[in-house]
Amino acid sequence: MSEPGTESTPESTGDQLARKRNDLAVIRTDLANERTLLAYLRTSLMMVGTGGTLIKFFGESRELLIAGYGAIGIGAVVLLAGFIRFFQTMRRVRSDCQ
């Protein structure tokens, strides 16, 4: 025999299941947000690397020198945008789950 008040009702089991599903959804969203940040980082690194290559190997051409510095600047902007998006999404997810 179980003690009074400790019986499991369908509502309490359903609530626990809903809470677990919500927790797992938050974890999936966090992981997706991290993957997106890594994609921004990868793109930024590629842009900076391309700009550095243009400057190093084609520096005597004025147009390619400008393109190289432009690619480095775009890479920095992409990285900044990625971090801003990451922290905004993280803050929004944290505030929604509380």
Side-chain angles (χ1 to χ4, degrees), residues 30-50:
D30 282 339
L31 292 173
N33 194 28
E34 290 174 9
R35 281 192 307 271
T36 303
L37 176 64
L38 290 174
Y40 273 101
L41 179 64
R42 182 180 60 231
T43 303
S44 172
L45 185 61
M46 184 272 310
M47 294 297 295
V48 170
T50 300

